[in-house]
Amino acid sequence: MKRLILFTTCFVLLSFVKAQNKKADSTAVAKTLTELLSICKNVDFNDPKTTELGTFYKAAPYIIYHGTDEKRAWKTFANYSNADEKKAVDFTCLRINNSVNKDSAYTITKYISEKQTEGTWHVLMITYIKNGAEKKAAFAFLKIGSKYGLGDID
């Protein structure tokens, strides 16, 4: 009987800890998304680095590298000084600006976490209005070190 009580107590505690981690993860991922959307939307053309480095240079630390270098793919953030990675970051921001950033009242409808070969994906399901029609998108993040980065948009 004592073992059953001990097992039940451990199970309840583990469930509580897991729920707390899920809430902390989803909050951190939502914060990262909000920051990235703002960076892509609000480019400061008076910033000398924007002219020097490129329009979306501030977004690179929010976007995960997924190029051909297998040692870096899904493990590091984009390097905006690399031409291919800069192109990928710019493309991502343009894609964001032509979708969810069209609607300042977008809604996060769901959070999902799923383990895959690259790590644990933290996915935010988003609904937004574009040209009068409701659209949906999934923004998928990976955690690298202590920071979340955007790895994919579906």
Side-chain angles (χ1 to χ4, degrees), residues 19-80:
Q20 292 298 332
N21 287 343
K22 185 176 180 178
K23 183 175 181 181
D25 288 341
S26 65
T27 300
V29 170
K31 182 178 184 283
T32 302
L33 174 68
T34 301
E35 291 169 359
L36 178 59
L37 295 181
S38 178
I39 288 168
C40 291
K41 187 174 190 172
N42 303 307
V43 176
D44 180 4
F45 290 102
N46 293 319
D47 177 356
K49 286 187 175 181
T50 301
T51 304
E52 177 188 335
L53 301 174
T55 306
F56 299 114
Y57 81 93
K58 289 182 181 178
Y62 290 82
I63 298 172
I64 294 178
Y65 170 78
H66 50 85
T68 57
D69 182 349
E70 291 182 21
K71 290 181 183 177
R72 290 187 54 226
W74 310 111
K75 297 176 187 92
T76 63
F77 292 93
N79 175 2
Y80 205 73

Side-chain angles (χ1 to χ4, degrees), residues 9-22:
T9 303
C10 288
F11 179 76
V12 169
L13 285 173
L14 279 173
S15 297
F16 177 75
V17 169
K18 209 173 200 182
Q20 292 298 332
N21 287 343
K22 185 176 180 178

Side-chain angles (χ1 to χ4, degrees), residues 12 17 27 40 55 60 63 70 78 86 89 93 104 110 112 117 121 125 128 130-131 139 143 149-151 153:
V12 169
V17 169
T27 300
C40 291
T55 306
I63 298 172
E70 291 182 21
K86 177 181 178 180
V89 168
C93 276
S104 61
K110 191 173 188 179
I112 305 164
T117 57
W121 286 95
M125 304 302 294
Y128 61 95
K130 181 178 177 185
N131 299 328
F139 286 76
K143 190 171 188 179
L150 180 66
I153 303 171

